Amino acid sequence: MKYAENILETIGNTPLVKINKLTAELPCLVLSKYETFNPGNSVKDRMALQMIEDAEADGRLKPGGTIIEGTSGNTGMGLALAAIIKGYKCIFVMADKQSKEKVDILKAVGAEVEVCPTAVEPTDPRSYYSVSKRLAEETPNSWYVNQYDNPSNCKAHFKSTGPEIWEQTDGKITHFVVGVGTGGTISGVGSYLKMKNPNIKIWGIDTYGSVFKKYHETGIFDENEIYPYVTEGIGEDILPLNVNFSVIDGFTKVTDKDAAVYTQRLSKEEGMFLGNSAGAAIKGVLQLKEHFTKDDVVVVLFHDHGSRYVGKMYNDDWMREMGYID
Ligand SMILES: Cc1ncc(COP(=O)(O)O)c(C=O)c1O
């Protein structure tokens, strides 16, 4: 018999799937690292488990402890699954722009969820950064995960996602394209791939309303770049320690409208029912067209599953209200 001892053993070893129609105008092979095959339906299962194991190993997380995190949903899901198997409690803090499905899903796996306003400064006591920190101080035997600055986030991708992509492409990958939020995925995968072959180009997908692209290009943290946006999971109004700008060759910004429209197109034209950052990522690949030639092998990573977005990007009434479709 061949079986996993528990659900956590099924994390990783996700497939690489060719994109066919949406990238027909590109000269090269475009493959997607399809992370919804993880048990929590997102890439974040990988780093959630790594962060917990590292915190257990050095005593930050103790038996029966409470895990506290500010999360847009996917990291929370990964943490919650590991917490169930390992016997911890979870309290998650979310911004109110996140879809309601994400809150309900976290509750479904036993977590307590606090929702905070999106449109406040990170330093405001109501922001989700501040509320997570306060809860961690007030809750006995708790551990504040801090996925933004926790090095285990990047390490998980250096140890698993990067090597999988290298092996699955037989070392032929030439470009890696991925949305950037905490930076764990791009920095971990990017560092591993550049270690194997420094010529591989690493491209980040950013949103309008986020600081990454300008900071990468000028070294300036420009507060004028910051304003509320709709795209979920990528872009930031802070510089997380997990974004290693030195392994990133460039960023391209994708509009909220394009990210939403391309999320629908992936589903309807490729049969890939994915989250909003996947739409941003594939549109970003198309925007980078001039960088690709015939023999290139481009890998784009798709972070999460479409089920989290049925009330938004997969709802035509919402799409019309936002002015994204006629
Ligand atoms: C849906 C989605 N896409 C993209 C990202 C960005 O990944 P990373 O945090 O590794 O940069 C996240 C992370 O929060 C996410 O939840």
Side-chain angles (χ1 to χ4, degrees), residues 103-321:
V103 179
D104 292 340
I105 287 168
L106 290 180
K107 288 185 178 165
V109 284
E112 210 177 287
V113 180
E114 292 248 0
V115 179
C116 302
T118 307
V120 295
E121 300 280 318
T123 48
D124 188 295
R126 292 163 300 165
S127 82
Y128 98 125
Y129 307 107
S130 308
V131 173
S132 322
K133 282 197 187 122
R134 177 176 54 75
L135 283 171
E137 280 156 21
E138 287 171 359
T139 312
N141 193 16
S142 66
W143 166 58
Y144 174 43
V145 182
N146 190 5
Q147 59 174 323
Y148 295 94
D149 300 334
N150 188 326
S152 310
N153 174 0
C154 180
K155 176 178 160 190
H157 297 292
F158 186 86
K159 272 178 58 185
S160 70
T161 327
E164 285 174 29
I165 293 172
W166 178 256
E167 279 153 34
Q168 285 170 311
T169 58
D170 255 346
K172 294 193 178 82
I173 176 172
T174 56
H175 298 77
F176 179 61
V177 183
V178 65
V180 183
T182 68
T185 316
I186 196 164
S187 306
V189 174
S191 311
Y192 182 84
L193 293 176
K194 289 237 188 221
M195 181 185 79
K196 298 303 273 184
N197 175 0
N199 295 323
I200 296 172
K201 297 285 180 243
I202 309 295
W203 279 93
I205 306 299
D206 197 11
T207 52
Y208 289 89
S210 156
V211 295
F212 290 144
K213 184 169 190 287
K214 177 147 188 192
Y215 183 79
H216 183 257
E217 288 168 4
T218 64
I220 296 166
F221 180 87
D222 185 354
E223 293 197 343
N224 295 321
E225 294 280 306
I226 301 170
Y227 49 86
Y229 54 85
V230 177
T231 303
E232 294 187 33
I234 64 173
E236 289 298 342
D237 51 5
I238 53 167
L239 293 175
L241 291 181
N242 271 308
V243 186
N244 178 355
F245 286 94
S246 71
V247 300
I248 301 171
D249 291 284
F251 281 93
T252 183
K253 285 196 183 221
V254 174
T255 64
D256 287 335
K257 177 179 176 176
D258 280 344
V261 167
Y262 275 81
T263 302
Q264 284 206 349
R265 288 193 62 184
L266 273 172
S267 179
K268 291 184 177 151
E269 294 174 47
E270 301 283 343
M272 295 180 167
F273 184 49
L274 294 162
N276 188 206
S277 66
I282 196 64
K283 179 60 169 52
V285 168
L286 296 172
Q287 289 175 191
L288 294 170
K289 181 177 176 179
E290 76 208 41
H291 294 270
F292 308 137
T293 54
K294 187 171 79 54
D295 296 325
D296 284 343
V297 176
V298 178
V299 175
V300 55
L301 186 140
F302 292 151
H303 277 83
D304 74 343
H305 195 254
S307 55
R308 327 266 218 247
Y309 305 86
V310 286
K312 292 174 100 179
M313 292 79 192
Y314 290 109
N315 179 316
D316 282 348
D317 292 333
W318 183 88
M319 289 288 278
R320 263 188 294 272
E321 268 165 40

Side-chain angles (χ1 to χ4, degrees), residues 63-121:
T66 299
I67 297 170
I68 298 185
E69 178 63 327
T71 164
S72 64
N74 291 321
T75 302
M77 173 56 105
L79 289 169
L81 296 184
I84 290 165
I85 304 299
K86 290 166 170 285
Y88 302 112
K89 240 187 93 184
C90 289
I91 305 178
F92 297 134
V93 182
M94 287 178 71
D96 58 6
K97 72 174 258 189
Q98 306 296 334
S99 52
K100 184 171 176 303
E101 294 90 320
K102 287 186 177 173
V103 179
D104 292 340
I105 287 168
L106 290 180
K107 288 185 178 165
V109 284
E112 210 177 287
V113 180
E114 292 248 0
V115 179
C116 302
T118 307
V120 295
E121 300 280 318

